């Protein structure tokens, strides 16, 4: 595969409906050509176990953009390149449910797990 996206997200709880951070790496010809990372204000509650697992707390994201505000920064990347990730179905499910929460149409993603 010549060009693709590697994606990873963190969620503040086990409800799979919100995002607390997102990381995207764009790879072309086996070389990283771009990377994006952002904390995201999930507009949702944090479970203590998840804070312990991810290291991301409500205080860390209180001034971060909400996903509906951040979506335009990454939409083209996620729609124009195949997405690769470990257990990527989970990440794409969380992204889809988060988009639904904000009333944004959920696109079809091309992906490989």
């Amino acid at each position: 595969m010549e060009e693709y996206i590697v994606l990873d997200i963190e969620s503040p709880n086990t409800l799979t409906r919100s995002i607390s951070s997102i990381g995207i790496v764009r790879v072309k010809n086996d070389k990283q050509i771009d990377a994006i990372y952002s904390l995201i204000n999930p507009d949702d509650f944090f479970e203590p176990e998840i804070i312990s697992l991810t290291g991301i707390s409500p205080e860390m994201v209180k001034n971060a953009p909400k996903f509906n505000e951040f979506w335009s920064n990454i939409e083209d990347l996620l729609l124009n390149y195949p997405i690769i990730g470990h257990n990527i179905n989970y990440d794409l499910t969380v992204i889809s449910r988060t988009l639904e929460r904000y009333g944004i149409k959920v696109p079809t993603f091309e992906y490989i797990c």
Side-chain angles (χ1 to χ4, degrees), residues 52-71:
S52 179
L53 178 69
T54 65
I56 300 170
S57 67
E59 297 78 28
M60 293 171 66
V61 300
K62 67 180 176 185
N63 295 319
K66 294 180 181 178
F67 193 71
N68 63 328
E69 300 164 342
F70 193 74
W71 175 240

Side-chain angles (χ1 to χ4, degrees), residues 4-8 23-27 31-36:
Y4 57 91
I5 299 296
V6 178
L7 169 71
D8 188 45
I24 299 172
V25 175
R26 186 171 159 204
V27 178
K31 293 186 176 26
Q32 177 181 321
I33 60 170
D34 196 11
I36 297 172

Side-chain angles (χ1 to χ4, degrees), residues 37-98:
Y37 174 80
S38 183
L39 290 170
I40 303 291
N41 181 335
D43 204 20
D44 207 350
F45 72 96
F46 281 75
E47 293 174 354
E49 301 83 16
I50 303 296
I51 294 171
S52 179
L53 178 69
T54 65
I56 300 170
S57 67
E59 297 78 28
M60 293 171 66
V61 300
K62 67 180 176 185
N63 295 319
K66 294 180 181 178
F67 193 71
N68 63 328
E69 300 164 342
F70 193 74
W71 175 240
S72 64
N73 297 332
I74 60 170
E75 180 179 13
D76 285 342
L77 286 173
L78 296 183
L79 298 183
N80 292 316
Y81 300 99
I83 304 166
I84 295 179
H86 174 71
N87 196 19
I88 198 66
N89 289 324
Y90 169 80
D91 295 72
L92 294 176
T93 296
V94 175
I95 288 173
S96 296
R97 289 181 178 168
T98 302

Side-chain angles (χ1 to χ4, degrees), residues 94-107:
V94 175
I95 288 173
S96 296
R97 289 181 178 168
T98 302
L99 289 170
E100 287 174 349
R101 280 181 65 217
Y102 288 111
I104 299 170
K105 183 179 179 209
V106 177

